[in-house]
Structure formats: C-alpha cells, structure tokens
Amino acid sequence: MERITVKELVEFRMKSSDKSKHNFALKLKTRKAKEKKEDDKNGGGNYWSISNSSIYNTFKNGVDQYYDEKIKDILGRQKNTDSQRDKIMYQRNLDILKSFKEFDILNLRPNNITKFETIHKSIKIITIQNFPIYINPDLVFHFENNGKEFIGSLLLVPQLNGYTKANLGIFCEVLYKFLNKHYSDNNQISEEYCIAIDTFNASKISYIDLINKKAPSLLKSTLDEIKKL
C-alpha cells in the first residue's frame, strides 16, 4: 500500500458524499507503493516555504528576528516579478508572516531545549491501524523540566484557507504517535510540547488539548471509516 499523508486523511473527512468518500477510500487502499517519492510537506511543495522557513527559524533559534528580514525580501521579489501567480504566492506568504509577528510562537517553545534530533526519511512512515501513515515533523527536540528530559515536536501545516481545529488535531495525533514510536523508549514524550500549527490561520493545537477535550480526537474514527468503505 502506498503511504497515506495526514493531509489525505483530512481530505477524506471533508468529502461531502458517501460515494466520494467510498471512491477516495478505495483509492487510498488500492494504489500501489512507489519506490521513490519526494518528501511532501503536507502538500503545496515549495509554495509555503518562504513563510515556513521564517517560522521554523524563529522557533528553532528562540529569537524573533526573522520575520522582518523575510518580509522585506518578499516585498522586493513581489515588486520585481511580472507573474501574477508569483505575486499571489508572495502576498499569501506575506500575510502569514505578518500574522506570525503577532502570534508569539516563542511562547510555545520550552526555554531549555538541549538538542534537536535529525529526522531521517526512513522513520517518517508509521503504521497506525495497519495503514502506512506519512508524517514529516519540522522539529523534534529534547528539553529538560524539573530534572527530567522530555521530547517535544513542532509540525507546521501550510494549507490555503487552513484547517478547522478538529482537523488540525489529526495532524497532532499522528505527530504524537510518531514521537511515541521512535523516542519513548528512552525519553518521556511531552503532551504540552507536541504541537501542530496551522500557518495560514496562525492557530495551534497541542496533544494536551486533545487529552483535555478542547478538540475532538478523530484519527481512530477516520481510519475505521476508511477500513469499512
């Protein structure tokens, strides 16, 4: 079976009819795995890389200095292109960066990060309910709290028009399962710092939000429904 992205799970949930859900589920279950496939950061290719890179660098380095530099750079690129498609792309990335200047992503970052993990391509597919689910975390990090070492992670989810909190929660659930599979033997997984961020809407959800029922847990029911169709 070909790997299934989290974005595809959400796409399945958003189908409006039983027939379209059935056809999409059949496609997911029957398409053949490809030997080689380029990493897909939840869809969109490099379209959102301009804004994502600044958000990533701000979180990783713990300093709020990347947005203004990138905004200035994009304004220059936007001015110097004649492509309407590129102008729209630049504007959408600009809108994200401007909203993230107010978002305060550093408030979501533990202060005492000790190291960042290298995330190898070979571990980005995890089996959940017999489905090969692909997830590509932006960062996996170690941090200390009260003398204990924890593992946390950040996943940036770029998507035109963004996601509802419920659908964003599916990304967070898969991220938490990824951390548990690969890092729980020697570390405690942080529920608070397992974070998925919808960059288009500048909204976030952490795994502890799902535990506290601030958003519904939809991963299992989604996979169950795909199995039945």
Side-chain angles (χ1 to χ4, degrees):
M1 185 187 295
E2 172 63 293
R3 70 185 192 180
I4 299 172
T5 66
V6 186
K7 181 180 178 180
E8 287 175 319
L9 297 181
V10 175
E11 187 178 349
F12 167 79
R13 287 193 55 81
M14 295 173 67
K15 295 294 180 183
S16 58
S17 69
D18 290 342
K19 182 178 179 180
S20 60
K21 277 193 168 186
H22 179 274
N23 290 339
F24 195 75
L26 186 63
K27 170 188 169 184
L28 294 179
K29 291 187 288 186
T30 59
R31 63 186 180 184
K32 295 181 180 180
K34 298 177 183 178
E35 290 185 7
K36 291 184 179 180
K37 188 171 182 179
E38 293 299 319
D39 277 3
D40 175 9
K41 180 55 79 174
N42 303 312
N46 293 323
Y47 193 93
W48 305 106
S49 63
I50 299 170
S51 52
N52 266 27
S53 63
S54 293
I55 299 166
Y56 171 96
N57 286 326
T58 298
F59 188 96
K60 183 174 184 179
N61 296 301
V63 290
D64 187 2
Q65 67 181 39
Y66 298 96
Y67 300 134
D68 288 337
E69 296 173 8
K70 187 61 69 174
I71 287 170
K72 182 178 179 181
D73 174 53
I74 299 173
L75 286 171
R77 292 197 219 178
Q78 190 180 44
K79 182 179 179 180
N80 292 323
T81 184
D82 294 324
S83 166
Q84 187 61 27
R85 182 186 181 280
D86 286 349
K87 285 183 182 292
I88 292 171
M89 177 187 69
Y90 290 139
Q91 188 58 53
R92 287 172 175 165
N93 278 274
L94 274 172
D95 291 342
I96 287 173
L97 290 174
K98 289 175 181 177
S99 68
F100 266 83
K101 287 189 68 175
E102 308 299 325
F103 181 71
D104 193 12
I105 194 174
L106 296 182
N107 192 45
L108 304 179
R109 183 188 191 275
N111 293 323
N112 45 355
I113 292 178
T114 56
K115 69 174 180 178
F116 292 91
E117 287 283 338
T118 299
I119 309 168
H120 296 286
K121 184 178 179 180
S122 60
I123 70 171
K124 293 179 182 178
I125 297 175
I126 60 173
T127 301
I128 306 174
Q129 295 179 223
N130 295 320
F131 288 105
I133 308 298
Y134 175 84
I135 187 164
N136 188 8
D138 289 88
L139 291 168
V140 173
F141 48 87
H142 296 250
F143 68 98
E144 293 182 357
N145 186 23
N146 294 326
K148 295 181 180 179
E149 185 167 296
F150 292 84
I151 286 280
S153 186
L154 176 73
L155 177 67
L156 301 177
V157 184
Q159 174 67 25
L160 184 62
N161 299 320
Y163 290 106
T164 64
K165 203 80 163 183
N167 285 333
L168 186 61
I170 298 177
F171 288 90
C172 194
E173 284 189 84
V174 177
L175 181 62
Y176 189 78
K177 288 184 180 296
F178 170 88
L179 295 177
N180 262 298
K181 176 176 175 58
H182 295 300
Y183 302 102
S184 61
D185 285 349
N186 300 311
N187 304 278
Q188 187 168 335
I189 307 303
S190 171
E191 297 160 350
E192 181 181 1
Y193 291 105
C194 174
I195 301 167
I197 296 179
D198 170 355
T199 60
F200 190 88
N201 291 320
S203 67
K204 71 92 180 177
I205 190 168
S206 62
Y207 193 72
I208 201 167
D209 293 328
L210 295 167
I211 292 174
N212 293 334
K213 301 189 183 303
K214 293 182 179 179
S217 176
L218 299 176
L219 177 61
K220 183 180 185 303
S221 62
T222 302
L223 294 176
D224 285 342
E225 189 175 0
I226 292 172
K227 276 185 181 180
K228 292 175 183 177
L229 293 175

